[in-house]
Amino acid sequence: MSPVVIIGTGLAGYNLAREFRKLDADTPLLLITADDGRSYSKPMLSTGFAKHKDADGLCMAEPGAMAEQLKAEIRTHTRISGIDPGHKRLWIGEEAVCYRDLVLAWGAQTVQVPLEGDGADRVFPINDLEDYARFRAAAAGKQRVLILGAGLIGCEFANDMSLGGFQVDVVAPCEQVMPTLLHPAAAAAVQAGLQGLGVRFHLGPVLTRLAQADEGLEAHLSDGSVIACDLVVSAIGLRPRTDLAAAAGLQTNRGVVVDRHLRTSHGNIFALGDCAEVEGINLLYVMPLMACARALAQTLAGNPTQVSYGPMPITVKTPACPLVVSPPPLGQDGNWQVEGQGSDLKVLCHGADGQLLGYALTGSAVMEKLALNRQLPALMA
Ligand SMILES: Cc1cc2nc3c(=O)[nH]c(=O)nc-3n(C[C@H](O)[C@H](O)[C@H](O)COP(=O)(O)OP(=O)(O)OC[C@H]3O[C@@H](n4cnc5c(N)ncnc54)[C@H](O)[C@@H]3O)c2cc1C
């Protein structure tokens, strides 16, 4: 019997395998991953310095232990190079692997910017455990980190690396932190909290050139300023992986397009996690992928089940200014109202009918999240 094949051993791949095994102990299961297959929780990558955890410390299980636990075969350091939906097989170079059902859990890749200068190899994206290990090795004995990007992940790294003893500069071409996620008042509170730790923000310019200097690096910004640093962390965004899916003729948009059964435009191929766009919604967070894993496990076990999304608030790991945010659903506009002062803000968004559509809570106001969550509409009922 051909196996159920899952591409990717991130939180989406491993959680799906776990949920599936609760329902079906016998169907052969094959997981294929381009990385080393260690099980870890990706959100912990941005709290590693504060918690004194290197990459080995963040690893929760080796692939051998995962294979035993999941009664699965796991092929590590193996990159799939193509999919042939018509013959229900995929390609690893010249090797063909047949599947009963195929699940794409291959995540999102970091956006790269072209950069001039001889210091370009000192730019570190951190999107998996191996990236994190590389960064930790390069950061040993260094003191100054420049972070590109002031989104959620850039701000979390800024907080964590400050707590880890680094001097942190953040460069981003925007007017406020987390511009796509936060009302300006909440953004100002978070920025002030991080500045209180010593983080320096350079909002507006972009990094144009990175040059080796006598000691470390010189980062040249588009406004003419120069920042001295030892390493650069790139946190400018993630793009769902869609290329192999598109090449195989599957429908793609921002992500791999799936319906509420997590089914792609081809019957035996499914997708979940960062790479999936579920009925037009591509969420790069853990809560949605867990909901998808539970629903898809049922479907793969013979009980077709649609995924539902309740409210999906995000707890941002910036302890310098605690933050919980639940942005209004895409395309829904409302009236914003700001209560509180200083770092303790309750920023609410209501629709014309008075329905709470979203919120941002900072500082001590985060205590109100449970009460507010009960008032939020489901993202996908
Ligand atoms: C620093 C950081 C902090 C975060 N913090 C939070 C948080 O606090 N809360 C939250 O909800 N979310 C957080 N997120 C987002 C969350 O971690 C992700 O949404 C989630 O981990 C994505 O899991 P995934 O399995 O879809 O993708 P990934 O973990 O990226 O896994 C993709 C897998 O696919 C494999 N792969 C890719 N291409 C191929 C190929 N061609 N062949 C074979 N294998 C392939 C990779 O090797 C990997 O195993 C954070 C993200 C980052 C980067």
Side-chain angles (χ1 to χ4, degrees):
M1 195 202 314
S2 294
V4 168
V5 177
I6 301 174
I7 311 299
T9 55
L11 288 172
Y14 273 147
N15 278 298
L16 171 64
R18 247 184 229 114
E19 294 296 326
F20 180 64
R21 274 293 177 244
K22 289 181 192 166
L23 306 170
D24 179 332
D26 301 319
T27 299
L29 190 56
L30 168 64
L31 286 90
I32 300 174
T33 178
D35 62 28
D36 61 16
R38 294 199 286 176
S39 166
Y40 72 105
S41 174
K42 191 183 285 197
M44 306 300 279
L45 296 181
S46 50
T47 56
F49 283 99
K51 295 194 170 148
H52 306 288
K53 298 247 180 174
D54 61 10
D56 291 342
L58 291 178
C59 166
M60 299 186 302
E62 296 291 333
M66 292 306 292
E68 204 171 316
Q69 191 192 111
L70 298 168
K71 244 183 100 195
E73 183 188 349
I74 302 178
R75 292 183 61 173
T76 58
H77 299 297
T78 304
R79 185 171 288 279
I80 79 145
S81 49
I83 304 170
D84 176 3
H87 295 96
K88 293 194 2 186
R89 62 187 177 181
L90 57 85
W91 295 101
I92 300 165
E94 300 286 297
E95 177 192 353
V97 175
C98 293
Y99 57 79
R100 186 199 83 180
D101 292 295
L102 175 64
V103 181
L104 313 179
W106 59 32
Q109 65 202 24
T110 44
V111 173
Q112 314 270 9
V113 279
L115 203 55
E116 287 180 17
D118 58 3
D121 65 340
R122 306 302 286 164
V123 179
F124 293 83
I126 306 180
N127 186 37
D128 62 32
L129 203 54
E130 292 176 317
D131 288 344
Y132 186 67
R134 269 189 292 277
F135 176 72
R136 290 286 297 221
K142 301 288 191 296
Q143 275 158 5
R144 303 163 301 175
V145 176
L146 186 149
I147 296 174
L148 297 178
L152 182 152
I153 290 173
C155 287
E156 290 192 352
F157 280 139
N159 201 140
D160 190 48
M161 289 174 192
S162 284
L163 295 178
F166 292 93
Q167 168 58 56
V168 177
D169 287 276
V170 176
V171 174
C174 49
E175 288 175 3
Q176 63 163 72
V177 302
M178 296 182 242
T180 57
L181 208 56
L182 280 191
H183 183 279
V190 175
Q191 185 176 337
L194 292 171
Q195 282 166 333
L197 287 180
V199 177
R200 299 185 295 220
F201 283 89
H202 311 264
L203 299 184
V206 291
L207 175 66
T208 52
R209 199 162 75 85
L210 193 60
Q212 304 272 4
D214 289 344
E215 281 189 35
L217 299 166
E218 277 180 355
H220 295 257
L221 307 193
S222 54
D223 64 359
S225 54
V226 179
I227 301 170
C229 60
D230 299 309
L231 304 149
V232 176
V233 170
S234 176
I236 57 175
L238 292 169
R239 186 174 299 128
R241 293 192 174 94
T242 56
D243 292 2
L244 290 177
L250 305 181
Q251 194 187 341
T252 61
N253 187 33
R254 177 170 160 73
V256 179
V257 171
V258 293
D259 63 16
R260 288 184 61 175
H261 287 99
L262 292 317
R263 198 183 295 276
T264 66
S265 53
H266 200 278
N268 289 94
I269 307 180
F270 302 83
L272 81 166
D274 281 5
C275 68
E277 180 175 319
V278 187
E279 286 228 321
I281 306 180
N282 169 237
L283 296 173
L284 283 73
Y285 302 109
V286 178
M287 262 172 90
L289 74 79
M290 296 297 287
C292 290
R294 285 189 292 271
L296 182 51
Q298 290 284 352
T299 299
L300 293 172
N303 176 27
T305 300
Q306 296 199 355
V307 68
S308 301
Y309 286 169
M312 296 280 177
I314 304 153
T315 299
V316 182
K317 302 183 293 299
T318 46
C321 177
L323 168 67
V324 183
V325 57
S326 184
L330 216 62
Q332 291 201 34
D333 274 342
N335 295 314
W336 289 94
Q337 163 201 342
V338 181
E339 295 172 22
Q341 53 191 323
S343 58
D344 306 317
L345 297 180
K346 180 160 118 180
V347 185
L348 303 178
C349 177
H350 288 99
D353 57 358
Q355 160 82 54
L356 181 69
L357 294 177
Y359 67 73
L361 304 173
T362 65
S364 61
V366 298
M367 311 276 278
E368 297 190 43
K369 71 176 177 186
L370 291 180
L372 291 174
N373 289 345
R374 283 194 282 273
Q375 299 171 40
L376 285 175
L379 274 190
M380 206 162 62

